[in-house]
Amino acid sequence: MGTCDRKLLELLICPLTGSSLRYHAQAQELVSRKARLAYPVREGVPIMLADEARSLNEDEI
């Protein structure tokens, strides 16, 4: 993700909890520790739908 994209990521919050997100570059995901979900980033576009997110394991939180 480029510089502009980093600014976008700073503005995004988890749609379920309203908490901040952490970007995991290797997995191409936005992680919400509070919701225990990882939202995918596809072709540079964050998919902020709970139905598209994967549940995090305890060791990923």
Side-chain angles (χ1 to χ4, degrees):
M1 298 206 136
T3 306
C4 184
D5 297 325
R6 292 274 179 213
K7 290 180 182 180
L8 172 64
L9 292 179
E10 291 174 7
L11 297 174
L12 292 176
I13 59 171
C14 176
L16 295 178
T17 65
S19 61
S20 62
L21 299 168
R22 178 177 52 91
Y23 179 61
H24 189 274
Q26 189 174 22
Q28 292 290 295
E29 295 176 325
L30 290 168
V31 175
S32 171
R33 289 182 176 157
K34 191 170 184 179
R36 297 177 177 231
L37 293 173
Y39 298 95
V41 178
R42 297 186 187 129
E43 298 179 23
V45 179
I47 310 300
M48 304 301 295
L49 301 170
D51 292 344
E52 294 288 324
R54 71 174 181 89
S55 296
L56 296 174
N57 297 324
E58 193 64 37
D59 61 326
E60 293 179 291
I61 298 172

